[in-house]
Each structure stands twice: as C-alpha cells, then as structure tokens.
C-alpha cells in the first residue's frame, strides 16, 4: 500500500486557549485541525491565495476528536495530518496532536468536501470530483 | 423507557463566528456544545458557581459533530441537549443544533468525565462515580 | 443635544471564554463588542442579510477597552451600545459592558468605516459617505 | 536612554481567524497580543510553568489597537513586543504586528498588572510591586 504524504503543523497552547481548569479548552483542537488541513493542502500547492483565486473551499461533513491527555498553557505541540481516505468528492483528514515531549494529546478526523463556490466567496458551494491528479499530489515522493 | 430532561440553549451566529466562505466556522459548534452542556447542568442545580465551589469540572473524553446545513451570519439557533447515556464516572451529552426556521444545522455529542479537582482549580482532576441521585436530576419531571 | 439610540446586546460568560485565572479572557470583550455593533445596526434596519445583499461591511479603524472588574464563568451581562460620533465615512460605537448585578465590567469603543465591497464579499472595501438619512435612524424616537 | 528588550512572536492568519469579508476578524489581533505578552515574559525567564508555580498572572487594565492594513488568510506575521513603560505595580506592553512582506498591519498596547493570586489559580489577584530586578531583565543586553 502506498504511503500518503503527511504534514506537520506546529502550534502552542496559549493562555487564552485554556479554561478555568487550567487545561486546553477543547474546541482549540478543532481550530488547530482546521488550520492543519489548510497547511496540508498548502504543502501540495493549494495555498490560501490559490484556493481563493480558484474559488475553492473545503466545507466540513463531520469532525471528531478523542482527547488523550490534558495540555497546559505553554505546551508546544504539532498536528500531524494526512489524507486517510479519498471519496468521490470528499476526503477524510486524520490528525494526531502530539506534544513536544512525545505525548499524544489528541487524535481526530475531519471529513470534508472538495468544494467550489458557484459564484465567488459568500455564494453556495458545490462539491467537485477529486481527480487522480489531485490525489497524486498526496503520495509520498 | 424513561424520558431524560432536555435543555434548550439559545445562540446566534455572529460575524466573527463565520469564515471567508461566509458560513459558520465549524469549531463554533463545539464552543456552543460546551456552553450548552454547562447550561444543561445548571438546569439541574449545578450552576457555574456551585461547580466552582465544589471543585468540579467536566473534562472531555471525546467529541464529534456532523454538519448538516450551513449557517450564516445572523442565524438564530438553539442547541437542544440531553444526557444520552450515563457510565460509571462518565456520561454522554447529545446535542442537536437547530435554526429558528426549524432546519437542523448540526448534531453532535460529547463524552465527559464527572470530575473533581484534587486540590482546587488548576490541579489534576479525577473522575467521581455518578450517583443515582445525580442521575435522577436528569429525569423528566 | 439630541439623544442617540442605544441597543442592548445580552451575553454570558461561558466556560471557554475564561482563562486559567478563572476570569474572562479579554479578547472575549472585543468579540462581544463586534457582535453588539452588528446588533445595533440590525436595530435600525441593517440586519446581516441586508448588509450581505447590499455588499456592506464595517471594517475597523481602531478599538479599545478598559477592564473595570473581573467577570467569571456564568456571569450574565449585556453590552449597551450607541453611536458616539459620526464622521464623514466613519463612526465611533461606544460600548458599556454591564453584569446583571449592575457592576460595570468594561467599557470600550470601536471606530469603524461604513464600507462597501468593490465587487462582492472577499473583494476590497471602500468607505461610503454616511448620509443624513442613515444618521437619522440612530436618533432616539 | 536605555533600550528595552523586544520579543518577536511569529503567527499566521488562519482560515477561522477571518470573517465573511475575507479579512482578519479583529479580536484575533488581541489574542495574538496576549500570547505575545506571555512570550515576552517567557523570554526573560517567566515561562508559563514558572508563572503557574509562583501563582502569577498579568490581568489587564486596558487594551487598544489601531488597524492599519487588512490581513488575509495565509498571511505570515509577527508581533514585535516590548515594555513601553513600567509603573509601580503595572506595565504597558507595546505591540507592532507586521506581515512578512514588511507591511505593518496593526499596532496596539496592553496595560497589565503584575499580579499574584491570593491563594492559587481561580482566587482573586492582587498587584505586586515591580522590582528593579524584574525591570532589569527587560534591558537589552
């Protein structure tokens, strides 16, 4: 089985990312996963500027996360992301969130549509078939 | 089968909750679900002040959400929350996010621990057994 | 001097709005002020849908806030907003953030441009002259 | 006049940091400034772990920001922070937010108290006199 390209998105737990329990407020992980998915696509050539110019976005179908260990203010982390599966017009991104000391903090996934705005940002989006050419970008080289 | 108490948490999609596609940025739903879970517990007597005084919190084990229809700036919504299941020291909250026009926008769930800080906020938390008395609060009266 | 219309935007301090010190994370106040400014304009007929259809937005020139008393999880509050001054193409919104017990938590202001997108959302914005008709909407009736 | 130490806090405009106008949602700048202030103190030895152990925090008195140029999704930026002034128990941090192409996006300041929790996180804070030893850490070496 071929190996798919992974991307590493560095991040850090900031003061405002934490709650009164002194640990990360969990929606922060989803904010990170979203940014990490954009970074994964940037790695294969679909940077924000190009996505904008081609009127593309990646709306969500679903998202989930398991929280394995609590993170605290100041923790340096990375989100390791890879395409877990390609569907016809959708795809699944798997994310592992790991602290600098090697502790896995959380693991999650997002199912997204490869979308195009019908008429520019702000207009409805429709899914576009994911071509073999696009898939090929994610193969480890 | 007995019916469990539901809580309705009203909310609205604000300008800053939306992304450049003009629709809600998905971690917003998780922020809402978190607030809705606290509101559900407030309804049965565990308001934030009491939770604080008793050194309680509700750390997450996992969370997931399916996104069914896009929400836009200004949409008035509500999160309908109920306990879906009680475990020994954990519980599952199910949430339906519905727009004022009746459209279901998203549905999700959170698995949480009924936690107590070992020595006040900021210290580690441990799970506490969920008593029948606590469960009884969530039965529809 | 004529009295200008005020708007009251209700809000609450949620768990995730607070930081490890157990008090509100201050950018939350700016999120509230932004939403309160949109609510003020909705009150005079410029609701989000109309703003969208007329390709309008209200980009910021500056913002400031003084923090007068700490807010905690669960605090019910309101943002009282009014136009403090109209310029040619810009305006100042003054906000008072008050807790349900009457305590003033914060007071801030935003200077904004009355903006129109040159060609739809995502395109550059330019300021538009604020007409007397628009100003009249904000006079107390 | 002596030169004060500056810190550079790198950051990037993520998809979820932007609003339907396609530009940065302004409270994001305050989130960055907060994180940049913590990074400035980390640089002189007050890292999050130490701050936690010594029961310290830096509650805000006021904050302000001028927005000079719009930032868009993907923009790589840095927050350049320095102590602008020391008071008895408070201090002012000045921040310049600059994009990788050299464009100054925003400039702001925060007035903060050098605070100690009376009895651990979650308890009230009181200001502590800023010693000459602390001030000395911020002198450029």
């Amino acid at each position: 089985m071929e190996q798919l390209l992974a991307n590493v998105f560095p991040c850090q737990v900031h003061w405002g990312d934490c709650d009164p329990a002194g640990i990360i407020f969990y929606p922060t992980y989803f904010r990170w996963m979203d940014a990490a998915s954009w970074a994964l696509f940037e790695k294969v050539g679909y940077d924000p500027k190009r996505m904008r110019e081609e009127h593309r976005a990646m709306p969500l179908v679903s998202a989930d996360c398991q929280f394995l260990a609590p993170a605290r203010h100041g923790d340096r982390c990375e989100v390791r992301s890879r395409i877990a599966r390609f569907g016809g017009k959708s795809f699944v991104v798997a994310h592992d969130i790991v602290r600098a000391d090697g502790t896995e903090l959380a693991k999650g996934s997002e199912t997204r549509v490869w979308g195009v705005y019908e008429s520019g940002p702000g207009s409805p989006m429709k899914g576009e078939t994911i071509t073999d050419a696009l898939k090929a970008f994610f193969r480890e080289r």
Side-chain angles (χ1 to χ4, degrees), chain A:
Chain A
M1 208 191 93
E2 69 190 332
Q3 190 60 36
L4 287 181
L5 188 75
N7 187 61
V8 171
F9 175 80
C11 46
Q12 191 181 12
V13 182
H14 298 303
W15 174 255
D17 297 331
C18 297
D19 60 30
I23 57 174
I24 197 169
F25 178 54
Y26 87 84
T28 306
Y29 285 125
F30 289 102
R31 287 204 289 112
W32 287 358
M33 291 198 292
D34 187 83
S37 284
W38 283 92
L40 175 63
F41 275 75
E42 176 163 1
K43 190 164 185 174
V44 301
Y46 284 91
D47 58 274
K49 187 163 177 287
R50 178 179 174 188
M51 292 289 281
R52 207 153 52 220
E53 286 170 357
E54 298 187 0
H55 291 180
R56 293 185 190 284
M58 307 186 290
L60 274 286
V61 175
S62 64
D64 62 86
C65 194
Q66 291 173 260
F67 311 103
L68 307 172
R72 306 199 69 165
H73 177 210
D75 285 358
R76 283 173 169 80
C77 309
E78 58 185 43
V79 184
R80 299 172 187 168
S81 311
R82 65 191 187 287
I83 302 288
R85 196 173 61 78
F86 280 115
K89 297 180 175 182
S90 68
F91 57 94
V92 179
V93 190
H95 303 279
D96 289 293
I97 301 168
V98 182
R99 191 165 51 198
D101 66 2
T103 306
E104 186 161 31
L105 299 174
K107 57 189 304 173
S109 76
E110 300 173 309
T111 302
R112 292 173 174 268
V113 170
W114 184 238
V116 176
Y117 299 114
E118 285 176 9
S119 53
S123 70
M125 266 175 285
K126 58 177 175 42
E128 197 171 65
T129 299
I130 298 172
T131 62
D132 287 339
L134 176 56
K135 291 177 193 172
F137 287 130
F138 290 92
R139 273 182 217 118
E140 195 75 81
R141 272 143 296 188

